[in-house]
Amino acid sequence: MKRRIVTTLAGGLSAALALSACSGDDGTGGGGEPETGDVTSLSILDYYNNDPDKTLVQEGLDACADELGITLERETVPGADLIQTVLQQASSQTLPDVLMLDNPEVQQIAETGALLPLDEHGVSTEGFAQGIVDASTYDGHLYGLQPVANTIALFYNVEILEEAGVEPPTTWDELREAAAALTEGDQYGMAFNANATYEGSWQFLPPMWTNGGDETDLTSPEVAEALQLWVDLVESGSASESVINWTQGDVKDQFAAGRAAMMVNGPWNIPALNETPEVQWDVVQFPVNEPGQTPVAPLGGEAWTVPVTGDEASQAVAVDFVECLNSPEQQLDWAAARYTVPTRTDLAEEYLAERPEMEAFTEQVANARSRTGQLGPEWPDAATVIYEAIQLALTGQAEPAEAFEQASSR
Amino acid sequence: MTSTTEAPAGAGRGVSTPVPPRRRRKIRADDVGRILFVLPAGIAMALLFGYPVVKNVLMSLQEYTLTTFFTGEAPWVGLANYADVVSDPIFSQAMLNTGLFTAGSIVFQFAIGLALALFFKQKFPLSGPLRGLLLLPWLLPLIVSSATWRAILEQDSGILNQFLGLFGVEPIGWLVSPSVALIAVIGVNIWIGIPFNTTLLYSGLQSIPDELYEAGALDGATHAKAFRYITWPSLRPVISVVLILGVVYTLKVLDIILGLTGGGPANATQTLATQSYQRSFVDFEFGHGAALSNILIVISMVFAVVYLRRGRQAADE
């Protein structure tokens, strides 16, 4: 009972503050308006802890800090440690003013009540790709916004395909044939990542979604059919059995070393691939099962959020900061520097003029779906079922359809 | 413990009446001193070991999730977490794997460790530097060892399969075939555990007086017989320490398995430790993770108790 009173009070208070913040915008000034002028510095937490990303992101952050006339205290941690760091900071009430989250995690963290609803603080999502908005929306409110997105598509080694007289595949049958034709000696036709982590599930989404499969019903024939594609590639020897242990980084290494003619991977590997000029590559969208299907891939990338720190003034500046990071100019700069795709759909043309090699990814992002769009914070459970089923099927312990039933019965 | 409290009482009973009170007072003063000496260690133990253990037990009885970190609310769920993890089909596989992993590792670590210790007991040139080299697996960070072994055991380009290929052996899926992966992981853990066994057993061997062997030789006990009647019995206390500590360490091995297979393929190398990690830090179901690690602690405790009793017996002897 006591708690309810407190929450009601807190709710009323934040509503009042939100109102006063709005009134502050039009210059009239309200009584409870936070004194944003006193805020000189924001703390930031993200997981871009390796170069070149670390430096490139710093440039984008600095540009917005200059615009707002503030300084930044940035902390970067390895990707796998981000959520643990956030949890530690949450329990010691030392969350940063601005927090970067991998987009499928936004709803999980929003569910805990740790994030500020940006829509209530005047942030608009107009012009953004719908999948991007869905990924950061929980319970009808927007909790984060991501300036750029990535996804996965099919890279191929131009030289190897030309020598073998193989065209880049557009359907699964063509993919099977091409992979078989390109497999010889130490070289596999195809590489992908099917390890027992969310990464393995993420790489399975292009075949699953493209074929009409859905995470709300993983036991459907469409999903099983998609898994059959992975099984066929491995059983025929066109892909290494090691795919069940590989990370996307391992897949990229295989491709860069010329041991795989094609791979499923994302544009964040482009800078690394550019360092091995002997491998000439190109990218196409992930093939479809039946002609007429639209390739649907998962949306990747990170959203910037504003944790509820209780410091209204800093929060207000942090909201402005996130808005700045998502401005059209920033999006174009970030996307070009980091081989990602702007999330404002009307920037596509301008962007491709600068980065023509990103065409396949830009198309793929336009139809891409967010992982949490349908299940919200329940997505990790589905992702676990997916990677468990992949493991069962690829190790020959179950047929694809059975594998999903077995994995979802857990 | 029992002997120290009983002894003064028995002594008091035997002596005339004026003596006991004086003795008792003296003992009390002694006790205060003793307690003062033990107190800092006791506080440190309570903070460093007691708190996490108690916290872990409490956590396993709560619905402890992501939200708990922000709101501090973790509803009590009684034994539901235990029921959940035990009824999970992976649990029985994890239990079996934990047993196989521990038993397999210990048997071979010990046998090879003992053989090497006996080998180095003999005097030969370079035995010192060689013994030092043998420590290498122990000195390497586990994450380095597992990354290296992962490269060695890789199916297509790993050096082990390339080597076996010279003898016409088809590539073996060391880390990708569910039927082989556990054996491969145990193999690597054996490699890591050998130095620990060798070092302790070697120092145990050093403490056996040479006179025993000389006397034994006179009685006709050489080689196998000397080992059976002199080495083994003299080494017994060290052996039990090595085995029990080995079991406790091996039960909770996490980094090697995570580094090599991540518990895969298809859960073939999943143990209680990796499951606990998975539940806590991947699925963020901290209650489930805590329940699993408590089960692991109880199993370790059984061996720890055996170890303590052994230690006390040895002291009493």
Side-chain angles (χ1 to χ4, degrees):
Chain A
M1 198 58 206
K2 204 169 186 181
R3 175 158 287 137
R4 191 174 299 161
I5 295 168
V6 174
T7 11
T8 323
L9 273 176
L13 196 65
S14 63
L17 282 167
L19 280 174
S20 62
C22 289
S23 64
D25 279 347
D26 52 44
T28 52
E33 172 193 2
E35 291 290 325
T36 52
D38 295 341
V39 178
T40 56
S41 164
L42 289 181
S43 54
I44 294 193
L45 174 66
D46 64 73
Y47 65 40
Y48 302 106
N49 69 323
N50 283 323
D51 272 325
D53 269 352
K54 185 176 182 177
T55 315
L56 293 174
V57 167
Q58 185 71 52
E59 284 168 14
L61 298 176
D62 284 344
C64 280
D66 286 347
E67 202 175 306
L68 295 179
I70 52 167
T71 56
L72 299 173
E73 290 162 44
R74 181 180 178 208
E75 184 188 354
T76 61
V77 295
D81 296 348
L82 183 79
I83 294 298
Q84 288 181 47
T85 309
V86 170
L87 294 180
Q88 280 158 11
Q89 294 181 339
S91 52
S92 60
Q93 319 224 317
T94 52
L95 280 169
D97 298 313
V98 178
L99 170 66
M100 182 228 76
L101 288 172
D102 196 6
N103 77 66
E105 281 156 359
V106 172
Q107 300 191 26
Q108 254 185 309
I109 302 296
E111 191 187 21
T112 67
L115 301 179
L116 199 70
L118 299 180
D119 53 334
E120 287 184 3
H121 291 76
V123 175
S124 154
T125 56
E126 212 184 300
F128 281 78
Q130 193 54 43
I132 295 293
V133 179
D134 289 347
S136 289
T137 303
Y138 172 72
D139 219 5
H141 289 290
L142 181 79
Y143 286 94
L145 211 45
Q146 65 181 88
V148 291
N150 60 49
T151 186
I152 41 180
L154 191 71
F155 283 76
Y156 63 92
N157 186 314
V158 177
E159 222 170 339
I160 295 179
L161 265 73
E162 268 175 12
E163 264 172 37
V166 173
E167 287 290 309
T170 56
T171 64
W172 292 2
D173 283 338
E174 286 176 27
L175 176 65
R176 288 188 188 98
E177 282 163 31
L182 296 165
T183 301
E184 58 173 348
D186 283 353
Q187 174 193 305
Y188 286 101
M190 172 80 168
F192 56 95
N193 134 266
N195 67 6
T197 69
Y198 298 147
E199 208 184 16
S201 307
W202 142 270
Q203 283 230 332
F204 179 66
L205 292 175
M208 177 173 121
W209 279 342
T210 299
N211 198 36
D214 199 305
E215 60 271 30
T216 54
D217 178 17
L218 288 169
T219 52
S220 74
E222 288 83 8
V223 178
E225 211 175 352
L227 184 50
Q228 189 65 50
L229 175 66
W230 267 193
V231 173
D232 288 346
L233 288 168
V234 172
E235 272 186 357
S236 64
S238 303
S240 168
E241 285 177 25
S242 301
V243 296
I244 62 167
N245 268 342
W246 279 347
T247 63
Q248 296 188 109
D250 295 328
V251 171
K252 182 261 294 168
D253 290 343
Q254 296 289 323
F255 183 80
R259 286 201 292 269
M262 300 183 285
M263 69 164 175
V264 181
N265 227 322
W268 58 88
N269 288 309
I270 293 177
L273 288 175
N274 285 343
E275 282 169 23
T276 50
E278 64 275 14
V279 175
Q280 287 177 41
W281 53 269
D282 208 342
V283 191
V284 289
Q285 294 200 66
F286 193 84
V288 295
N289 186 16
E290 319 265 342
Q293 288 176 332
T294 311
V296 184
L299 263 183
E302 294 80 17
W304 295 85
T305 69
V306 178
V308 180
T309 54
D311 182 343
E312 301 283 343
S314 288
Q315 281 176 193
V317 179
V319 171
D320 291 344
F321 186 75
V322 170
E323 272 192 311
C324 171
L325 292 180
N326 283 282
S327 64
E329 310 78 60
Q330 283 297 321
Q331 289 205 353
L332 281 170
D333 286 353
W334 282 48
R338 298 182 47 236
Y339 291 93
T340 45
V341 179
T343 52
R344 290 178 188 263
T345 43
D346 53 355
L347 296 176
E349 214 169 300
E350 198 179 335
Y351 176 60
L352 284 181
E354 193 179 352
R355 283 262 179 259
E357 63 266 54
M358 289 296 290
E359 188 177 349
F361 285 112
T362 308
E363 279 170 30
Q364 190 114 26
V365 161
N367 296 314
R369 205 186 281 177
S370 90
R371 281 161 281 177
T372 46
Q374 303 211 26
L375 296 180
E378 306 300 316
W379 161 252
D381 295 338
T384 307
V385 173
I386 293 174
Y387 73 66
E388 297 248 320
I390 296 174
Q391 295 265 311
L392 289 172
L394 286 186
T395 55
Q397 301 190 345
E399 293 295 312
E402 267 173 62
F404 273 105
E405 290 200 355
Q406 227 172 297
S408 28
S409 71
R410 279 199 46 216
Chain B
M1 281 278 258
T2 43
S3 56
T4 48
T5 48
E6 269 166 22
R13 233 175 279 144
V15 197
S16 55
T17 30
V19 187
R22 213 190 301 157
R23 271 210 163 184
R24 241 178 245 150
R25 224 175 291 133
K26 200 175 164 194
I27 287 163
R28 254 187 228 146
D30 265 11
D31 279 350
V32 171
R34 280 181 195 151
I35 289 169
L36 280 177
F37 272 110
V38 174
L39 202 63
I43 292 171
M45 290 275 285
L47 284 176
L48 295 173
F49 296 101
Y51 175 75
V53 168
V54 171
K55 177 86 185 165
N56 209 40
V57 170
L58 294 178
M59 211 186 241
S60 71
L61 303 173
Q62 290 172 298
E63 195 185 316
Y64 207 102
T65 59
L66 277 183
T67 314
T68 309
F69 284 86
F70 297 95
T71 59
E73 284 167 37
W76 292 97
V77 292
L79 294 174
N81 286 330
Y82 288 92
D84 282 356
V85 296
V86 170
S87 61
D88 187 330
I90 289 182
F91 181 77
S92 51
Q93 190 174 5
M95 276 293 269
L96 178 67
N97 287 344
T98 308
L100 290 174
F101 181 80
T102 309
S105 299
I106 294 297
V107 167
F108 287 96
Q109 279 175 5
F110 177 75
I112 300 171
L114 182 61
L116 283 169
L118 289 168
F119 177 69
F120 281 109
K121 177 110 199 289
Q122 294 166 324
K123 301 207 164 29
F124 57 91
L126 289 181
S127 111
L130 279 177
R131 210 152 25 90
L133 268 183
L134 203 73
L135 280 178
L136 212 61
W138 207 19
L139 302 178
L140 282 177
L142 287 176
I143 202 74
V144 174
S145 309
S146 53
T148 312
W149 274 102
R150 204 184 134 145
I152 293 172
L153 297 172
E154 219 270 319
Q155 189 185 14
D156 301 312
S157 50
I159 196 164
L160 183 60
N161 275 350
Q162 303 229 344
F163 174 75
L164 292 174
L166 296 177
F167 305 100
V169 180
E170 285 289 304
I172 298 171
W174 293 109
L175 301 176
V176 300
S177 157
S179 51
V180 194
L182 188 61
I183 296 171
V185 173
I186 293 173
V188 174
N189 193 48
I190 291 170
W191 177 81
I192 288 166
I194 288 173
F196 172 76
N197 284 263
T198 309
T199 312
L200 285 195
L201 292 170
Y202 180 79
S203 63
L205 286 176
Q206 296 288 76
S207 66
I208 304 174
D210 284 342
E211 292 80 38
L212 279 181
Y213 290 99
E214 284 161 18
L218 288 177
D219 291 338
T222 50
H223 298 107
K225 273 193 172 165
F227 178 79
R228 165 88 176 75
Y229 293 107
I230 302 169
T231 313
W232 186 262
S234 320
L235 212 52
R236 254 227 189 93
V238 180
I239 290 172
S240 60
V241 170
V242 168
L243 289 181
I244 293 162
L245 285 182
V247 168
V248 174
Y249 289 157
T250 312
L251 277 172
K252 63 183 172 62
V253 163
L254 177 70
D255 13 27
I256 301 162
I257 300 178
L258 284 186
L260 285 170
T261 61
N267 294 319
T269 55
Q270 207 72 258
T271 62
L272 287 182
T274 58
Q275 266 295 294
S276 168
Y277 174 84
Q278 170 87 18
R279 289 302 184 91
S280 297
F281 298 111
V282 179
D283 304 341
F284 299 122
E285 284 167 354
F286 296 93
H288 285 155
L292 277 167
S293 63
N294 283 328
I295 294 173
L296 195 57
I297 289 173
V298 169
I299 298 173
S300 295
M301 289 260 263
V302 173
F303 290 93
V305 167
V306 175
Y307 171 68
L308 287 175
R309 301 197 77 165
R310 284 264 170 171
R312 195 179 303 155
Q313 274 171 17
D316 287 351
E317 277 163 19

